[in-house]
């Protein structure tokens, strides 16, 4: 194996190569850093890269699944002693004072951290254009967005800057950028992975998950970070499903609501071709209906900003990060000035929009009309899925309605940007596991083929079945 290609390896291949001593962990790490140095200027996947550690923990036995594997970490996940900014000005020079549980678990598994990846500020967005530090670009066509909010992580995996990455998903932020960059993204069941040490966006929706080159890798990374955590009371230890997985006899539902107008016809064709493969592998395909899915986006854009406004109240210039009080540019005469000027200067437009929206939604006069109503709709959406999952084992459709769009195309109209999440948000509202895997590409006007994603959702706690189906399909698509 030549040294230049080490950065292209999957976790599985890198692990095998390291075990056989074909190369060292340092060579692998440096191959990634070199690729970043050569090519990240045009992509901007990373906000910061780290050096190869002078010493690192090597677990002696059993859970040694990630020894020496360089992993990129989304900039909203805390690594003790490192900067963490959530791509916001308000946390520009903030240093994490502890490790997120996922980071601790990765260290325990022997993984190495390559750097912090770019994202939409506080994970709000679908294009990474909302980063305070400038957008990331899609490695397939740098005139297009990589998706978001985990756009840096998805671009880093697609460009082979790292072996794998972590992202976070509140309404699609792992799956949508994975689809747009042609890589695998997995949003676990709510509570399968600890949120301790994840900078919160909307706590009832947020999940950390893997962005990888293969579904097999997503499973390896997910297994390393999953599990109950006393520091996050919403976590549960899920039963790990049988690994002798068969597609044969599995019932797959295609929601008719997901294939209507608004879906790019070429993506539709690619998704249906992948469904055909499932059928050839012995699955039974059924048309189903999720009647409340048309309200998913509306419910999400009420519940999410409500939680955002509460979670972001802590960035007040007193407790964390940047403060107008220490900035000679601002004249702060009283405490209110410190709050107001810190937030006015520290937050970008999209964050402010959502904080204002959320504050309004939660106000005494409107709480019942908006927040309470949206919670009721959320329950109906969850029941939609429960009903559907009585007849089918998996629900399959497109991850996104279109392939990657151009910079600026949707920034002037937030509503068109929000439509990017139309197929992904329901899984967060229902808390169920969902996977995006590459299913082909669509030729754009400029002749460049842009990737499309297939979306597979499963029952709550059946993460392993979703991943198992993805692995089986992946073998036929490659
Ligand atoms: N794009 C969605 C939003 O802007 C989802 C974000 C996310 O999952 N973090 O809210």
């Amino acid at each position: 194996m030549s040294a230049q290609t080490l950065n292209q390896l999957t976790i599985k291949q890198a692990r095998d190569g390291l075990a056989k001593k074909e190369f060292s962990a340092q060579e692998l790490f440096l191959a990634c850093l070199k690729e970043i140095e050569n090519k990240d200027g045009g992509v901007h996947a990373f906000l910061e890269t780290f050096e190869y550690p002078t010493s690192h923990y090597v677990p002696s036995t059993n859970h040694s699944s990630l020894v020496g594997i360089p992993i990129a970490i989304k900039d909203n996940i805390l690594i003790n002693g490192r900067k963490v900014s959530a791509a916001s000005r308000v946390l520009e020079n903030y240093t994490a004072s502890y490790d997120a549980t996922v980071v601790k678990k990765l260290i325990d598994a022997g993984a190495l951290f390559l750097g912090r990846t770019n994202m939409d500020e506080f994970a709000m967005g679908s294009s990474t254009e909302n980063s305070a530090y400038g957008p990331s670009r899609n490695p397939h066509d740098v005139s297009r967005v990589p998706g978001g909010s985990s756009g840096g992580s998805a671009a880093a995996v697609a460009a082979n800057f790292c072996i794998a990455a972590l992202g976070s998903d509140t309404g699609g932020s792992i799956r949508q950028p994975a689809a747009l960059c042609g890589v695998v993204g997995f949003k676990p069941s709510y509570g399968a992975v600890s949120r301790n040490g994840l900078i919160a966006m909307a706590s009832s929706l947020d999940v950390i998950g893997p962005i990888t080159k293969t579904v097999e890798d997503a499973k390896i990374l997910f297994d390393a970070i999953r599990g109950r955590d006393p520091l996050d009371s919403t976590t549960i230890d899920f039963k790990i499903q049988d690994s002798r997985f068969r597609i044969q006899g599995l019932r797959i539902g295609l929601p008719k609501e997901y294939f209507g107008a608004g879906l790019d016809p070429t993506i539709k064709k690619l998704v249906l071709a992948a469904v055909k493969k499932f059928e050839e592998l012995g699955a039974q395909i059924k048309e189903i209906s999720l009647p409340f899915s048309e309200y998913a986006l509306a419910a999400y854009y009420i519940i999410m900003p409500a939680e955002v406004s509460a979670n972001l109240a802590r960035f007040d210039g007193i407790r964390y990060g940047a403060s107008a009080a220490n900035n000679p540019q601002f004249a702060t005469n009283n405490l209110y000035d410190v709050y107001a000027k810190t937030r006015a200067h520290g937050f970008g437009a999209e964050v402010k929009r959502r904080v204002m929206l959320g504050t309004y939604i939660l106000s005494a006069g409107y709480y019942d009309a908006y927040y309470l109503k949206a919670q009721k709709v959320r329950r109906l959406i969850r029941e939609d899925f429960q009903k559907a999952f009585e007849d089918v084992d998996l629900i399959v459709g497109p991850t996104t309605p279109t392939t990657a769009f151009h910079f600026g195309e949707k920034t002037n109209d937030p509503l068109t940007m929000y439509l990017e999440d139309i197929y992904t948000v329901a899984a967060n509202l229902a808390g169920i596991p969902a996977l995006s895997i590459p299913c082909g590409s669509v030729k754009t006007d400029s002749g460049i083929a842009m990737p499309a994603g297939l979306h597979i959702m499963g029952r709550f706690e059946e993460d392993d079945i979703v991943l198992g189906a993805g692995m089986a399909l992946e073998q036929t698509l490659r």
Side-chain angles (χ1 to χ4, degrees), residues 123-126 148-149 168-173 201 300-301 304 354 421:
M124 299 176 202
S126 304
S149 64
S168 68
D169 194 310
T170 305
S173 276
M201 177 180 164
Y300 172 80
Y301 274 95
M304 174 273 296
R354 295 191 193 197
D421 307 320

Side-chain angles (χ1 to χ4, degrees), residues 333-355:
N333 300 316
N334 52 48
L335 189 59
Y336 178 81
D337 256 10
V338 175
Y339 294 159
K341 286 176 180 162
T342 298
R343 292 166 70 82
H345 178 73
F347 289 153
E350 183 62 23
V351 172
K352 285 179 190 157
R353 183 179 296 127
R354 295 191 193 197
V355 168

Side-chain angles (χ1 to χ4, degrees), residues 69-111:
I69 306 292
I71 295 183
I73 304 289
K74 187 176 181 179
D75 193 35
N76 58 355
I77 299 173
L78 275 58
I79 307 175
N80 191 16
R82 299 280 186 192
K83 279 188 185 175
V84 60
S85 76
S88 180
R89 286 271 170 241
V90 90
L91 288 175
E92 189 161 8
N93 288 311
Y94 182 69
T95 301
S97 55
Y98 64 97
D99 281 327
T101 296
V102 293
V103 163
K104 222 180 286 157
K105 282 177 181 268
L106 290 180
I107 293 171
D108 285 347

Side-chain angles (χ1 to χ4, degrees), residues 56 69 71 91 122 125 138 158 162 164 289 341 366 412 418 445 451:
H56 78 273
I69 306 292
I71 295 183
L91 288 175
F122 286 105
N138 193 309
C162 58
S289 175
K341 286 176 180 162
Y366 291 99
N412 291 333
Y418 295 172
D445 301 341

Side-chain angles (χ1 to χ4, degrees), residues 222-243:
F222 172 55
D223 283 345
I225 59 173
R226 72 198 290 180
R228 195 178 130 57
D229 178 10
L231 297 174
D232 174 359
S233 60
T234 61
T235 51
I236 321 171
D237 256 330
F238 294 154
K239 46 184 184 299
I240 300 202
Q241 312 280 334
D242 195 340
S243 58

Side-chain angles (χ1 to χ4, degrees), residues 1 13 44 71 92 108-109 129 163 165 196 232 253 264 279 283 315 334-335 344 365 371 443 474:
M1 210 166 295
Q13 291 166 334
H44 193 223
I71 295 183
E92 189 161 8
D108 285 347
E129 287 164 291
I163 305 303
N196 171 53
D232 174 359
D264 178 310
E279 201 168 15
F315 302 104
N334 52 48
L335 189 59
Y371 185 71
K443 265 245 169 70
E474 174 173 76

